[in-house]
Amino acid sequence: MRRLLLLVCAVVLVDMVFYAAITPLLPYYSDRLGLSKTAAGVLTGAYPAGTLIGSLPAGWFAARVGVKPAVLLGLALLALSSVVFGLANSAALLDAARFVQGVGGAASWAGAFAWLIGRAPAERRGEVLGTAFSAALAGALMGPLLGAIARGVGTEEAFGAIAVLAVSLMAWSAREPVPISAAEERLGLAAALGSPTVVTGMAGVALVSLFFGVVDVLVPLRLDELGAGAVVVGGTFIAAAAAEGTAGPLVGRLTDRRGAALPIRVSLLSGMIMAILLPLPTVTWLLVGLLVLAALLVGGGLWVPSLSLLSEGAERAGAAQGYAFALMNLAWAASMTVGAAGGGGVADAVGDGAAYAGLAVVCAAGFAFFVRRQASVARLPA
């Protein structure tokens, strides 16, 4: 179990390093290629767009072909797309490379988490998911650092290193045995979608993803406008991911003991407040502090209980875990794509304040949704 958990943590960490490296590179590519905020949003959203297209096929692949082949496929696409991204010198090629990696991420995440849940004790599911998710956030920590390094040493070398890591993880995954429980024949996508618990978990994933889809585009561009360099932008998102990752295992244990309703409602209330405050700062340090606080309260409190609901709902419905995490990818990708491209588009047309105001309304609607479902969600074990 420990070796498998370590492997899953390594897979999602390296995948997130590639995904998060774009943050400090957005101002660089905006200046070099003349990207508008809308185009910057498209570049940011290309990865989740790939995940959106690949999520359900990846879930089927993990459930029918196997969790190990799904992980190997995802890592192979990561290696390929990292090389292309490092060499790209046009917006179209950058978008294409991130899109392909989004497809690969759908496969590796569905396979890795289904592989892990096949071995995790039911009473520790929240804690194990929290640990794996914290590893993903560690990758989000390292991603902005990689982006900042890439601006200094060159994108070819920086993203070539990601390709090497992906190939190394393929070799490790090939040697790891598949748990018998992960290979059992179970029901399919329709059974998972028929579970109210799965749908509730998807709603939580969609809300947190939409929130950070907007934030991940507007905050680095605003920091650049305030005079912050690549190191400051990268350091800001490193600190934010550290805060979010620290909360993951703690929220997982809380979810195991108290259920998912409490952390979800607190996170959405915090999201409303943060969306109102984020467009206000006119100095760098205040915007940095608000982003770190938003990562702690919104991301740290919403991700793990939502994943627990997805996994528990699939288990109760008799559906393969691969489909549960395919639906996680689907909810994440659709919301991140809308948040990144839509948030950038609204900011271009009307201003950042309007984009954040829409985000506050969405968080309020999500809070109302979870309050209405409080009685049923509160009774659900993680």
Side-chain angles (χ1 to χ4, degrees):
M1 176 63 193
R2 290 180 181 176
R3 180 180 172 87
L4 178 60
L5 178 58
L6 183 60
L7 172 61
V8 171
C9 288
V11 169
V12 298
L13 183 148
V14 173
D15 186 74
M16 284 300 294
V17 166
F18 180 94
Y19 169 74
I22 192 63
T23 303
L25 289 172
L26 272 181
Y28 166 74
Y29 283 125
S30 294
D31 294 339
R32 178 184 170 191
L33 302 175
L35 302 182
S36 65
K37 287 184 177 179
T38 301
V42 170
L43 178 57
T44 302
Y47 178 107
T51 303
L52 177 64
I53 298 299
S55 56
L56 295 182
W60 176 88
F61 191 86
R64 299 300 181 186
V65 180
V67 292
K68 181 190 288 190
V71 170
L72 291 172
L73 174 62
L75 290 171
L77 292 176
L78 171 59
L80 174 63
S81 58
S82 296
V83 172
V84 173
F85 191 88
L87 298 173
N89 55 11
S90 70
L93 198 54
L94 290 170
D95 291 342
R98 280 182 64 81
F99 181 88
V100 170
Q101 176 43 30
V103 176
S108 59
W109 278 63
F113 276 94
W115 199 343
L116 182 61
I117 290 301
R119 290 284 299 274
E123 66 276 9
R124 292 186 56 208
R125 183 169 284 153
E127 181 181 352
V128 169
L129 286 171
T131 300
F133 188 69
S134 291
L137 292 173
L141 276 170
M142 298 168 63
L145 179 61
L146 176 69
I149 292 172
R151 290 185 63 170
V153 304
T155 55
E156 297 91 342
E157 293 80 1
F159 290 101
I162 296 297
V164 171
L165 287 173
V167 172
S168 300
L169 287 174
M170 289 179 68
W172 181 1
S173 300
R175 295 194 303 268
E176 191 70 20
V178 178
I180 295 175
S181 58
E184 290 177 351
E185 183 75 13
R186 298 181 68 85
L187 299 178
L189 180 64
L193 281 173
S195 166
T197 309
V198 168
V199 174
T200 303
M202 288 180 67
V205 170
L207 287 166
V208 69
S209 304
L210 184 67
F211 185 93
F212 287 102
V214 175
V215 166
D216 286 354
V217 172
L218 298 186
V219 169
L221 295 176
R222 178 57 178 162
L223 286 171
D224 184 60
E225 291 172 359
L226 295 174
V231 174
V232 174
V233 175
T236 298
F237 280 83
I238 287 172
E244 195 172 354
T246 300
L250 300 176
V251 174
R253 286 192 285 271
L254 175 64
T255 304
D256 285 334
R257 296 168 186 170
R258 297 283 301 276
L262 176 62
I264 286 176
R265 287 185 283 116
V266 170
S267 293
L268 289 173
L269 181 61
S270 301
M272 284 187 279
I273 297 170
M274 290 295 106
I276 293 170
L277 295 179
L278 279 169
L280 302 181
T282 56
V283 292
T284 298
W285 67 266
L286 185 54
L287 181 55
V288 169
L290 286 175
L291 177 63
V292 172
L293 186 60
L296 176 67
L297 296 176
V298 183
L302 193 52
W303 263 111
V304 174
S306 298
L307 295 183
S308 294
L309 289 172
L310 277 164
S311 178
E312 177 66 20
E315 183 72 22
R316 291 183 175 188
Q321 288 291 330
Y323 289 112
F325 293 102
L327 292 172
M328 173 201 74
N329 285 328
L330 183 68
W332 174 83
S335 300
M336 280 293 293
T337 302
V338 170
V346 171
D348 264 339
V350 192
D352 288 9
Y356 282 117
L359 194 57
V361 171
V362 170
C363 289
F367 181 81
F369 169 79
F370 278 99
V371 166
R372 286 198 303 270
R373 298 184 66 91
Q374 176 179 358
S376 59
V377 174
R379 289 195 299 268
L380 293 173

mmCIF file of all heavy atoms in Angstrom, residues 24 27 50 124 140 159 165 207 232 239 241 251 253 277-278 290 312 348:
data_model
loop_
_atom_site.group_PDB
_atom_site.id
_atom_site.type_symbol
_atom_site.label_atom_id
_atom_site.label_comp_id
_atom_site.label_asym_id
_atom_site.label_seq_id
_atom_site.Cartn_x
_atom_site.Cartn_y
_atom_site.Cartn_z
ATOM 1 N N PRO A 24 3.847 31.391 -14.249
ATOM 2 C CA PRO A 24 4.792 32.495 -14.433
ATOM 3 C C PRO A 24 5.207 32.709 -15.882
ATOM 4 O O PRO A 24 5.844 33.716 -16.201
ATOM 5 C CB PRO A 24 6.002 32.059 -13.582
ATOM 6 C CG PRO A 24 5.935 30.585 -13.563
ATOM 7 C CD PRO A 24 4.474 30.242 -13.574
ATOM 8 N N PRO A 27 2.902 35.879 -18.510
ATOM 9 C CA PRO A 27 3.374 37.204 -18.933
ATOM 10 C C PRO A 27 4.459 37.119 -20.011
ATOM 11 O O PRO A 27 4.503 37.947 -20.931
ATOM 12 C CB PRO A 27 3.922 37.810 -17.633
ATOM 13 C CG PRO A 27 3.200 37.097 -16.540
ATOM 14 C CD PRO A 27 3.031 35.697 -17.057
ATOM 15 N N GLY A 50 -8.222 19.415 -23.023
ATOM 16 C CA GLY A 50 -7.804 18.056 -23.366
ATOM 17 C C GLY A 50 -8.329 17.032 -22.378
ATOM 18 O O GLY A 50 -8.750 15.934 -22.758
ATOM 19 N N ARG A 124 -10.098 4.793 5.776
ATOM 20 C CA ARG A 124 -8.998 5.750 5.596
ATOM 21 C C ARG A 124 -9.028 6.391 4.216
ATOM 22 O O ARG A 124 -8.064 7.013 3.800
ATOM 23 C CB ARG A 124 -7.647 5.050 5.792
ATOM 24 C CG ARG A 124 -7.366 4.585 7.204
ATOM 25 C CD ARG A 124 -5.956 4.040 7.305
ATOM 26 N NE ARG A 124 -4.981 5.022 6.868
ATOM 27 C CZ ARG A 124 -3.790 4.695 6.332
ATOM 28 N NH1 ARG A 124 -3.472 3.429 6.129
ATOM 29 N NH2 ARG A 124 -2.945 5.646 5.974
ATOM 30 N N ALA A 140 2.017 21.342 -8.007
ATOM 31 C CA ALA A 140 1.611 22.716 -8.277
ATOM 32 C C ALA A 140 2.579 23.705 -7.644
ATOM 33 O O ALA A 140 2.772 24.816 -8.151
ATOM 34 C CB ALA A 140 0.191 22.946 -7.761
ATOM 35 N N PHE A 159 11.503 21.740 -19.805
ATOM 36 C CA PHE A 159 10.438 20.781 -20.090
ATOM 37 C C PHE A 159 10.984 19.446 -20.574
ATOM 38 O O PHE A 159 10.302 18.421 -20.479
ATOM 39 C CB PHE A 159 9.438 21.385 -21.071
ATOM 40 C CG PHE A 159 8.628 22.488 -20.460
ATOM 41 C CD1 PHE A 159 8.936 23.814 -20.705
ATOM 42 C CD2 PHE A 159 7.596 22.198 -19.598
ATOM 43 C CE1 PHE A 159 8.215 24.834 -20.112
ATOM 44 C CE2 PHE A 159 6.857 23.212 -18.998
ATOM 45 C CZ PHE A 159 7.171 24.546 -19.255
ATOM 46 N N LEU A 165 11.509 12.615 -16.409
ATOM 47 C CA LEU A 165 10.812 12.117 -15.216
ATOM 48 C C LEU A 165 9.633 11.234 -15.600
ATOM 49 O O LEU A 165 9.380 10.201 -14.958
ATOM 50 C CB LEU A 165 10.334 13.300 -14.370
ATOM 51 C CG LEU A 165 11.401 14.066 -13.597
ATOM 52 C CD1 LEU A 165 10.791 15.304 -12.939
ATOM 53 C CD2 LEU A 165 12.040 13.176 -12.536
ATOM 54 N N LEU A 207 -17.061 23.377 -8.888
ATOM 55 C CA LEU A 207 -17.019 24.706 -8.276
ATOM 56 C C LEU A 207 -15.596 25.145 -7.954
ATOM 57 O O LEU A 207 -15.197 26.274 -8.249
ATOM 58 C CB LEU A 207 -17.890 24.719 -7.016
ATOM 59 C CG LEU A 207 -19.402 24.693 -7.274
ATOM 60 C CD1 LEU A 207 -20.163 24.352 -6.002
ATOM 61 C CD2 LEU A 207 -19.867 26.040 -7.826
ATOM 62 N N VAL A 232 8.454 36.593 -8.345
ATOM 63 C CA VAL A 232 7.360 36.911 -7.424
ATOM 64 C C VAL A 232 6.088 36.177 -7.819
ATOM 65 O O VAL A 232 5.389 35.615 -6.968
ATOM 66 C CB VAL A 232 7.114 38.434 -7.383
ATOM 67 C CG1 VAL A 232 5.874 38.755 -6.547
ATOM 68 C CG2 VAL A 232 8.330 39.146 -6.819
ATOM 69 N N ALA A 239 3.511 29.516 -2.798
ATOM 70 C CA ALA A 239 2.964 29.689 -1.449
ATOM 71 C C ALA A 239 1.498 29.275 -1.386
ATOM 72 O O ALA A 239 1.040 28.656 -0.416
ATOM 73 C CB ALA A 239 3.125 31.148 -1.014
ATOM 74 N N ALA A 241 -0.038 27.018 -3.331
ATOM 75 C CA ALA A 241 -0.124 25.563 -3.390
ATOM 76 C C ALA A 241 0.325 24.927 -2.079
ATOM 77 O O ALA A 241 -0.222 23.901 -1.658
ATOM 78 C CB ALA A 241 0.721 25.038 -4.543
ATOM 79 N N VAL A 251 -7.995 18.045 6.144
ATOM 80 C CA VAL A 251 -9.399 18.032 5.726
ATOM 81 C C VAL A 251 -9.848 16.605 5.426
ATOM 82 O O VAL A 251 -10.996 16.233 5.685
ATOM 83 C CB VAL A 251 -9.596 18.951 4.504
ATOM 84 C CG1 VAL A 251 -11.016 18.846 3.960
ATOM 85 C CG2 VAL A 251 -9.297 20.395 4.879
ATOM 86 N N ARG A 253 -8.856 13.837 6.987
ATOM 87 C CA ARG A 253 -9.183 13.196 8.277
ATOM 88 C C ARG A 253 -10.482 13.736 8.843
ATOM 89 O O ARG A 253 -11.285 12.983 9.425
ATOM 90 C CB ARG A 253 -8.026 13.390 9.260
ATOM 91 C CG ARG A 253 -6.824 12.506 8.946
ATOM 92 C CD ARG A 253 -5.831 12.491 10.083
ATOM 93 N NE ARG A 253 -5.062 13.726 10.152
ATOM 94 C CZ ARG A 253 -3.917 13.928 9.512
ATOM 95 N NH1 ARG A 253 -3.437 12.988 8.715
ATOM 96 N NH2 ARG A 253 -3.263 15.062 9.645
ATOM 97 N N LEU A 277 -12.979 40.130 -2.809
ATOM 98 C CA LEU A 277 -11.779 40.850 -2.371
ATOM 99 C C LEU A 277 -10.653 40.842 -3.400
ATOM 100 O O LEU A 277 -9.869 41.793 -3.468
ATOM 101 C CB LEU A 277 -11.264 40.238 -1.060
ATOM 102 C CG LEU A 277 -12.171 40.357 0.168
ATOM 103 C CD1 LEU A 277 -11.526 39.669 1.367
ATOM 104 C CD2 LEU A 277 -12.442 41.824 0.485
ATOM 105 N N LEU A 278 -10.525 39.784 -4.205
ATOM 106 C CA LEU A 278 -9.357 39.630 -5.074
ATOM 107 C C LEU A 278 -9.157 40.767 -6.095
ATOM 108 O O LEU A 278 -8.006 41.103 -6.401
ATOM 109 C CB LEU A 278 -9.419 38.286 -5.805
ATOM 110 C CG LEU A 278 -8.938 37.082 -4.983
ATOM 111 C CD1 LEU A 278 -9.297 35.776 -5.678
ATOM 112 C CD2 LEU A 278 -7.421 37.155 -4.770
ATOM 113 N N LEU A 290 -4.005 37.548 -0.330
ATOM 114 C CA LEU A 290 -5.373 37.099 -0.604
ATOM 115 C C LEU A 290 -5.388 35.800 -1.400
ATOM 116 O O LEU A 290 -6.221 34.916 -1.155
ATOM 117 C CB LEU A 290 -6.141 38.187 -1.353
ATOM 118 C CG LEU A 290 -6.584 39.397 -0.528
ATOM 119 C CD1 LEU A 290 -7.232 40.439 -1.430
ATOM 120 C CD2 LEU A 290 -7.558 38.980 0.573
ATOM 121 N N GLU A 312 -16.911 7.328 -2.765
ATOM 122 C CA GLU A 312 -17.912 6.619 -1.971
ATOM 123 C C GLU A 312 -19.174 6.354 -2.781
ATOM 124 O O GLU A 312 -19.772 5.280 -2.708
ATOM 125 C CB GLU A 312 -18.254 7.432 -0.723
ATOM 126 C CG GLU A 312 -19.348 6.839 0.155
ATOM 127 C CD GLU A 312 -18.946 5.530 0.802
ATOM 128 O OE1 GLU A 312 -17.726 5.264 0.896
ATOM 129 O OE2 GLU A 312 -19.838 4.770 1.212
ATOM 130 N N ASP A 348 -11.323 40.862 -20.496
ATOM 131 C CA ASP A 348 -10.989 41.669 -21.671
ATOM 132 C C ASP A 348 -12.132 42.610 -22.039
ATOM 133 O O ASP A 348 -11.921 43.774 -22.389
ATOM 134 C CB ASP A 348 -10.692 40.749 -22.863
ATOM 135 C CG ASP A 348 -9.199 40.493 -23.040
ATOM 136 O OD1 ASP A 348 -8.391 41.301 -22.533
ATOM 137 O OD2 ASP A 348 -8.847 39.485 -23.677
#
